[in-house]
Amino acid sequence: MYRMRKGGYIFLGIIMLLLAACNGTPNTEPEPKGQTLEQPQVTEATAEPQKTVEPQKTIEPSKTIEPQETEEAPEEGQPPTALEAAKTVISALMSGNMSTLASWVHREKGVRFSPYAYVDTKTDLVFTRDEVEGLMKDPKELVWRTFAGSGELIKMPYAEYHKRFVYDADFIKDAKISLNKGLGQGTTINNLNEVYPKDSYDFIEYHIAGIDPKFEGMDWRSLRLVFEKIGQDHILVGIIHDQWTP
């Protein structure tokens, strides 16, 4: 009996060891399987934010530049407007560039110089293109009408007339600019639109309301550039100076 019991105990012990071994193996197998299932989920989740970066690389600023590059193209080869023509002429007057000034003068009518607002078609001097080009260097005294108030003859070479009755103030820096609208008005009659009708002519006025404050505006100046409209072209035909007169 003792041997049988002893053998039975040994047999039961072996069975229990086998059962313990069987119970332990399933615990180790699912753990790596669970880990391998979780890893692809992590990589897929982390890859998705990278896809959202790609649309940021397709920013298209270049498409907005194309219309800007084509906006200036229609202006090439187009005749200058009255304001553009006046800008070139006033710059030539400021610097005394008579060659540039002459290139704008009407080939047939020439350009008329008027020292005051009233345009006198009988006595105001008119010069051709060729004459304008050499005016600044010509020492000959010319009669340009009479001074307002005193009635004395305005007799001087063009270079002096230019300083007193053309560019006698800094019109480019200080003047207000208008198209076909008078800004300065004195006691002298302004007959510009009678001599140069609106349907055929444009004029640009450069006006300075006052130069020295102590004169309270009585030293105002205006310079009017008159252009004949020939199609879309603008050809210089008149340079009218204006100022306060007694």
Side-chain angles (χ1 to χ4, degrees):
M1 292 291 293
Y2 175 74
R3 289 181 181 177
M4 292 181 62
R5 289 179 181 176
K6 186 177 180 181
Y9 290 137
I10 293 171
F11 180 75
L12 289 174
I14 292 171
I15 292 174
M16 291 178 65
L17 289 173
L18 290 174
L19 290 174
C22 292
N23 292 333
T25 53
N27 292 334
T28 57
E29 290 179 357
E31 289 180 359
K33 291 181 180 179
Q35 291 176 357
T36 54
L37 290 174
E38 292 177 358
Q39 288 176 356
Q41 292 176 359
V42 173
T43 54
E44 290 176 359
T46 54
E48 289 179 357
Q50 295 178 357
K51 294 180 181 179
T52 60
V53 178
E54 293 179 359
Q56 296 177 359
K57 295 179 181 179
T58 58
I59 298 173
E60 301 175 352
S62 58
K63 292 184 178 179
T64 60
I65 295 175
E66 293 177 359
Q68 296 177 359
E69 293 176 351
T70 59
E71 286 177 0
E72 297 180 358
E75 296 180 2
E76 296 180 0
Q78 295 297 321
T81 64
L83 286 168
E84 291 169 342
K87 184 177 180 180
T88 302
V89 170
I90 197 72
S91 296
L93 293 174
M94 178 193 69
S95 61
N97 188 337
M98 303 306 286
S99 295
T100 298
L101 180 64
S103 67
W104 286 89
V105 172
H106 198 292
R107 290 184 180 275
E108 298 175 0
K109 298 180 180 180
V111 58
R112 178 186 288 112
F113 287 83
S114 303
Y116 298 107
Y118 183 82
V119 179
D120 192 330
T121 58
K122 294 181 179 180
T123 59
D124 286 347
L125 299 183
V126 179
F127 299 91
T128 65
R129 276 190 171 188
D130 292 339
E131 290 171 336
V132 167
E133 193 161 357
L135 270 180
M136 192 68 77
K137 297 179 180 179
D138 189 352
K140 182 181 178 181
E141 289 188 340
L142 303 170
V143 176
W144 306 84
R145 268 176 36 191
T146 59
F147 286 101
S150 67
E152 295 180 5
L153 292 177
I154 304 175
K155 188 177 181 179
M156 57 187 69
Y158 175 78
E160 185 177 347
Y161 177 87
H162 184 92
K163 293 178 181 178
R164 296 189 64 176
F165 293 99
V166 180
Y167 205 87
D168 60 335
D170 197 345
F171 292 108
I172 290 180
K173 179 182 177 182
D174 300 328
K176 292 182 179 180
I177 304 172
S178 66
L179 171 63
N180 295 327
K181 180 181 179 182
L183 298 176
Q185 181 62 52
T187 57
T188 305
I189 297 173
N190 185 343
N191 65 338
L192 186 153
N193 290 133
E194 296 176 15
V195 179
Y196 306 107
K198 292 181 179 181
D199 58 344
S200 301
Y201 299 89
D202 284 328
F203 76 90
I204 309 300
E205 178 164 346
Y206 293 82
H207 176 72
I208 300 175
I211 300 172
D212 191 334
K214 70 181 180 181
F215 293 112
E216 299 180 348
M218 295 180 67
D219 57 347
W220 64 268
R221 297 285 192 279
S222 280
L223 189 65
R224 302 177 185 115
L225 305 178
V226 184
F227 298 88
E228 183 174 355
K229 296 182 287 187
I230 303 177
Q232 292 182 338
D233 288 325
H234 289 81
I235 312 300
L236 184 67
V237 293
I239 299 177
I240 305 171
H241 176 269
D242 198 6
Q243 65 182 64
W244 181 89
T245 53

